[in-house]
Amino acid sequence: MESKMQRLDTLITNATVITAADRFVADIGIRDGRIVALGEGLAEGAGPVGETIDASGLWVMPGGIDAHCHLAQPLGDGAVMADDFASGTRSAAAGGTTTVIPFAAQFKGQSLRAAVEDYHRESDGKAMIDYAFHMIVTDPNETVLREELPALIEEGYSSFKIYLTYDDLKLNDREVLEVLALARREGAMVMVHAENADCIAYLTELLEAQGHTAPRYHAEAHSSIAEREATHRAISLAELIDVPLLIVHVSGPQAIEQIRWAQSRGLRVYGETCPQYLMLTADDLDQDGFEGAKCVCSPPPRDPAAQQAVWEALESGVFQVFSSDHAPFRYEDDKGKKLHGEEASFSCIPNGIPGLETRLAILFSEGVVKQRIDATRFVALTATNPAKIYGLYPRKGTIAVGSDADLTLWDPEARVTVRNDDLHHAVDYTPYEGLELTGRVVMALCRGQVVARDGKPCGQAGDGQFLRCDKPTPARPRGQAKGF
């Protein structure tokens, strides 16, 4: 075959290849950043080979896609995220993630296009791995809906996030309907942060009036009922418009039940969860002094029963995506978790925890090694499904001839203890400090270039490419357009 006669930049031999559908042993031939051959004995007649990598004893899977992470995102309250595109993608690469999709966030009153252009200035020349943008829509005014958003979707920004909570981000129901209708017309995927803002505000006021301001009360203010109600409401509004949507960072059984109900009725509702809902509980917010602030995120971690419900939903297919929701704020920093000091109420603590580098290892160890999910579902959750849902498949998210050579080589038996000193983000802690894991990425390639070896990044800032996303097939409505 022609592919065997031409040069190969890289040849990976004796690979146990695992995709979302299959598991097989093969050699992988890479040329010009893409996979050009899969088969046995590719070294015979392959012509010149730049580098040969023996993958005997290793599992080779698609590079991870972290489809929900926050890097260098501007914030309006004085807080500053610790990770920019350089440190964030360096950390991602070390953990086996070869594509990230962070958020170009619109401030209310700001042009959405200006937000995207500003975010390109933040990212240009800094990323070690490939990246795309979601948009965050906070001000769906007439110009945004009629001009900016349709044009941006056509230009490759085919997904956006909306919020039902946070005063500076939330949309009312009419605004949600307007953006859902636009997504239906234009073929975009909508992500929803589903928590009821008024429920949270009411509970927060009650708790603070009683002097309950410590970090642990964040979990009480962000009730699972508030998450359930908002999840049901988002699904109902999407059903009215007949448009798919994805509920992000789902924390427990009440919201899961709403998603499962929608899916059982044939609605195109997708779900995403994150490592914090598998490994942390509300007790992690109840630490001495201000330490619980390290685990403040929204929705908050719940309890062991909620963890079990999340695992069951991962195994049964209720969830399609497993992301980090990496929101990096330093703890010992007056622009991070201590923005308002250690005596501040929980409602003033910047929300979010780091997790880009540890996301894959946690799911592999706790899921695959402990037989809660199989390796093919691991690939689906961390690479293939995100690529499909956000318009990057089959360029990304699989191992196939013609796809980008984004690959991770795993030692499935290696033992690792999570230490923040060993991680490569710019955050001064990890909530998973001391966690013992089995399974380790020993090499990661992005478009055929090695970006990590033995858990250490080795690519260069600027090597990553910006990806324009297609309109994703999963975003297509079930029926025909009827005036929307």
Side-chain angles (χ1 to χ4, degrees), residues 63 158 190 209 240 305 312 355 374 471 479:
S158 61
V190 181
L240 180 67
E312 291 172 357
D374 62 24
K471 295 180 180 180

Coordinates of all heavy atoms in Angstrom, one line a residue, residues 63 158 190 209 240 305 312 355 374 471 479:
G63 N -5.9 10.9 22.7 CA -5.6 12.0 23.7 C -6.9 12.5 24.3 O -7.9 12.6 23.6
S158 N -19.0 26.8 17.7 CA -20.3 26.2 17.6 C -21.0 25.7 18.9 O -21.9 24.9 18.9 CB -20.3 25.0 16.6 OG -19.4 24.0 17.0
V190 N -25.8 23.9 23.1 CA -26.0 24.8 24.3 C -25.6 24.0 25.6 O -26.1 22.9 25.8 CB -27.4 25.3 24.4 CG1 -27.5 26.2 25.6 CG2 -27.8 26.0 23.2
A209 N -27.5 35.4 58.0 CA -28.2 36.1 59.1 C -28.0 35.4 60.4 O -28.1 36.0 61.5 CB -29.7 36.2 58.8
L240 N -39.6 22.6 24.8 CA -40.5 23.5 24.1 C -40.0 23.9 22.8 O -40.7 24.0 21.8 CB -40.7 24.7 25.0 CG -41.7 25.8 24.5 CD1 -43.1 25.2 24.4 CD2 -41.6 27.0 25.4
A305 N -23.7 8.9 49.0 CA -24.8 8.4 48.2 C -24.8 9.1 46.9 O -25.1 8.4 45.8 CB -26.1 8.5 48.9
E312 N -23.0 5.3 39.0 CA -23.9 4.5 38.3 C -24.4 5.2 37.0 O -24.6 4.5 36.0 CB -25.1 4.3 39.2 CG -24.8 3.3 40.4 CD -26.0 3.2 41.4 OE1 -27.0 3.9 41.2 OE2 -25.8 2.5 42.3
G355 N -8.2 20.8 38.3 CA -8.3 19.4 38.0 C -7.9 19.0 36.6 O -8.1 17.8 36.3
D374 N -15.7 0.2 31.9 CA -14.6 -0.4 31.1 C -13.8 0.6 30.4 O -14.2 1.8 30.3 CB -15.2 -1.5 30.2 CG -16.2 -1.0 29.2 OD1 -16.1 0.3 28.8 OD2 -17.0 -1.7 28.7
K471 N -20.5 22.4 13.1 CA -21.7 22.3 13.8 C -22.0 20.8 14.2 O -22.0 19.9 13.3 CB -22.9 22.8 12.9 CG -22.8 24.3 12.6 CD -23.9 24.7 11.7 CE -23.8 26.2 11.4 NZ -24.9 26.7 10.6
G479 N -37.1 17.1 15.5 CA -38.1 17.3 14.4 C -37.7 18.4 13.4 O -36.6 18.8 13.4

